[in-house]
Amino acid sequence: MNQLEMRIRDVGFSAKQLLRYIRIRELRRQLTRQALADLEASETPEAKNGERILFCGVPVHRNMGDQAQRYCIRGWCRENYPDRTLIELPSWPFYSRAFRERLARSVRPEDLFVLQSGYCTTSRHYEHRMHRFVVGRFPDNPVLIMPQTISFRYPRDGFRTGRIYDRHKKLLFLARDRVSFGYAKRFFPSTRVLLYPDIVTTLIGTRTFDGERDGVFLCIRGDSEKKYSAEEIGALRTELERRQIRCETGDTESDLPLDMLVSGFAEELDRVLEHFASFRAVITDRFHGTIFSLISNTPVIVLATNDHKVVTGTDWFRDVYPEAFALADSTEQALERTLRILEREPEMDNRPWFRTRYYDLLKAKWEETCGACGHPEK
């Protein structure tokens, strides 16, 4: 053990932990420098009319579900506000006082804020701290918080957030499931809250797939949210293979470097959806694994996680796509329902219900929220 390793050990860190800490610090510096540069570029005479959308909380990891949200939110902003400059800001720069002060000097009354969707409205989540800063610091700018899963470990955190949100009269908060909607109404009683599906659902019904299908895809998470152990998932796979059913296990993480994933996301998304469409059925405990299955017209059986996100978040699909979607209360039930689907081989043609019913109307609902305070376009 060299002298540096001994010093690291003395302060209670492993070399691996220290390297991770150094990498995170450097990433934060890089993201902050880029965010400052993007702000400055948006203030030049060449920028579109000086009117901007500040899209905050864009993901800086390679999860395809979160990046699909970014892709769809970006598309929604450009479709509904084509004359505005879109600035994409990760959450990490908001931890820099220099960035927060620079942002405060930069923001003008006509600027709009759109905040990334996700499982962020929770106690002590770093994204949620950014949400509270934006809402509290810019009370005169319209703010749209895209669909959130809510689960506060401590109710006091929810009420503290509510005190910040309820003072903002141009805030529209979207809850991603009925449980989260109930929490939002409890904690944010004076804020306009709407029950809204995840924006990636707007891609359902927009693609066709003509390739051959075979086997079952086990799209299973490997993080702390998982409910079923690797042994239980392995036993499920073994039981399927015993019946001569081809199985593949995977997740929704991309192997591409982050910069390549973001710049070439449309192509990577096509590849992922084609992969989902190559199976006769999908078993998943991933929220966006469910949505990718529905986009690819592949029947999906959903397993629970250790919280309400996946079960309540996918409840949207029970009545809209009854032939394409089913919940399973155990791996045994997942096996049973998968075998039933493989026997029937239903023809899937999922319609674009969520785009027309929800997201084509969202701009008008946001403008209604601003009401007498002024529409976003004013």
Side-chain angles (χ1 to χ4, degrees):
M1 183 180 294
N2 63 36
Q3 200 169 32
L4 176 60
E5 289 176 330
M6 290 176 64
R7 288 184 180 179
I8 291 170
R9 183 175 177 180
D10 287 343
V11 297
F13 288 105
S14 68
K16 184 176 180 181
Q17 288 172 320
L18 182 62
L19 286 173
R20 182 174 182 274
Y21 173 74
I22 292 171
R23 290 192 188 103
I24 289 174
R25 281 183 62 103
E26 180 55 31
L27 176 61
R28 286 174 63 171
R29 290 193 186 99
Q30 292 175 5
L31 293 172
T32 301
R33 287 195 294 267
Q34 184 61 54
L36 287 168
D38 291 344
L39 273 182
E40 291 175 6
S42 72
E43 296 170 341
T44 62
E46 294 78 17
K48 297 179 182 177
N49 304 322
E51 295 182 341
R52 305 175 299 181
I53 297 179
L54 302 170
F55 175 17
C56 304
V58 297
V60 292
H61 49 260
R62 296 178 297 171
N63 180 277
M64 284 296 294
D66 293 339
Q67 292 295 343
Q69 290 175 330
R70 177 183 192 170
Y71 173 77
C72 292
I73 293 171
R74 177 194 292 161
W76 183 88
C77 290
R78 288 175 173 166
E79 179 180 341
N80 288 279
Y81 300 99
D83 296 328
R84 289 180 174 268
T85 299
L86 182 65
I87 307 172
E88 299 187 6
L89 302 171
S91 291
W92 283 120
F94 286 84
Y95 280 72
S96 162
R97 177 181 294 180
F99 175 78
R100 295 195 303 270
E101 291 174 351
R102 180 66 180 83
L103 180 66
R105 294 195 302 272
S106 176
V107 169
R108 299 181 289 269
E110 62 271 17
D111 289 332
L112 312 180
F113 282 92
V114 175
L115 276 56
Q116 167 88 5
S117 178
Y119 191 0
C120 308
T121 307
T122 67
S123 297
R124 300 178 182 175
H125 196 290
Y126 76 98
E127 300 274 7
H128 186 50
R129 291 177 65 183
M130 178 272 291
H131 292 185
R132 295 199 296 202
F133 169 77
V134 168
V135 175
R137 182 62 182 79
F138 303 105
D140 297 322
N141 293 87
V143 177
L144 172 62
I145 300 182
M146 285 289 185
Q148 292 288 311
T149 299
I150 303 175
S151 181
F152 288 109
R153 183 177 181 183
Y154 307 106
R156 64 176 181 271
D157 294 332
F159 290 118
R160 180 186 175 195
T161 297
R163 287 192 294 272
I164 297 170
Y165 286 6
D166 290 349
R167 290 194 294 267
H168 197 298
K169 302 308 177 186
K170 299 182 183 181
L171 169 63
L172 176 58
F173 184 99
L174 305 182
R176 193 159 59 172
D177 58 78
R178 293 190 180 279
V179 172
S180 297
F181 181 75
Y183 284 144
K185 298 297 285 185
R186 176 191 177 193
F187 293 123
F188 322 145
S190 298
T191 296
R192 188 181 186 197
V193 177
L194 298 178
L195 180 61
Y196 244 73
D198 190 277
I199 195 170
V200 184
T201 59
T202 59
L203 298 179
I204 299 175
T206 65
R207 313 289 178 95
T208 57
F209 302 89
D210 301 320
E212 293 292 322
R213 294 175 179 266
D214 180 46
V216 174
F217 182 35
L218 297 172
C219 180
I220 304 297
R221 67 192 319 124
D223 57 23
S224 61
E225 293 181 35
K226 67 180 180 181
K227 179 178 179 179
Y228 296 98
S229 66
E231 290 74 20
E232 290 171 301
I233 298 301
L236 173 59
R237 176 170 182 163
T238 298
E239 194 59 31
L240 286 164
E241 290 177 335
R242 190 179 69 80
R243 290 171 163 79
Q244 306 300 311
I245 298 169
R246 183 180 73 87
C247 288
E248 182 176 323
T249 303
D251 201 352
T252 55
E253 295 288 323
S254 173
D255 294 328
L256 292 177
L258 181 63
D259 57 345
M260 293 178 62
L261 176 60
V262 173
S263 62
F265 185 79
E267 293 77 13
E268 180 68 357
L269 180 62
D270 286 342
R271 186 194 67 77
V272 168
L273 294 176
E274 287 287 351
H275 186 250
F276 273 77
S278 68
F279 295 94
R280 295 168 65 195
V282 173
I283 301 173
T284 188
D285 60 356
R286 280 285 191 185
F287 181 68
H288 287 102
T290 305
I291 298 176
F292 291 162
S293 301
L294 295 172
I295 298 169
S296 65
N297 290 320
T298 307
V300 59
I301 297 91
V302 176
L303 290 166
T305 55
N306 60 15
D307 53 32
H308 72 88
K309 180 180 77 171
V310 173
V311 171
T312 58
T314 58
D315 193 51
W316 293 95
F317 313 129
R318 187 192 307 272
D319 296 326
V320 181
Y321 309 119
E323 291 294 310
F325 167 82
L327 284 173
D329 295 329
S330 64
T331 55
E332 292 78 13
Q333 192 175 70
L335 173 65
E336 174 193 331
R337 295 191 169 178
T338 301
L339 295 175
R340 196 180 308 161
I341 286 172
L342 297 181
E343 289 173 3
R344 291 188 294 115
E345 294 201 75
E347 288 291 328
M348 298 289 101
D349 185 18
N350 298 328
R351 62 191 190 278
W353 192 82
F354 291 100
R355 176 183 174 91
T356 56
R357 182 73 177 268
Y358 288 93
Y359 282 92
D360 286 349
L361 309 177
L362 181 55
K363 181 182 179 182
K365 292 181 182 295
W366 192 14
E367 293 177 349
E368 289 169 9
T369 303
C370 293
C373 298
H375 292 329
E377 282 295 82
K378 293 184 179 178

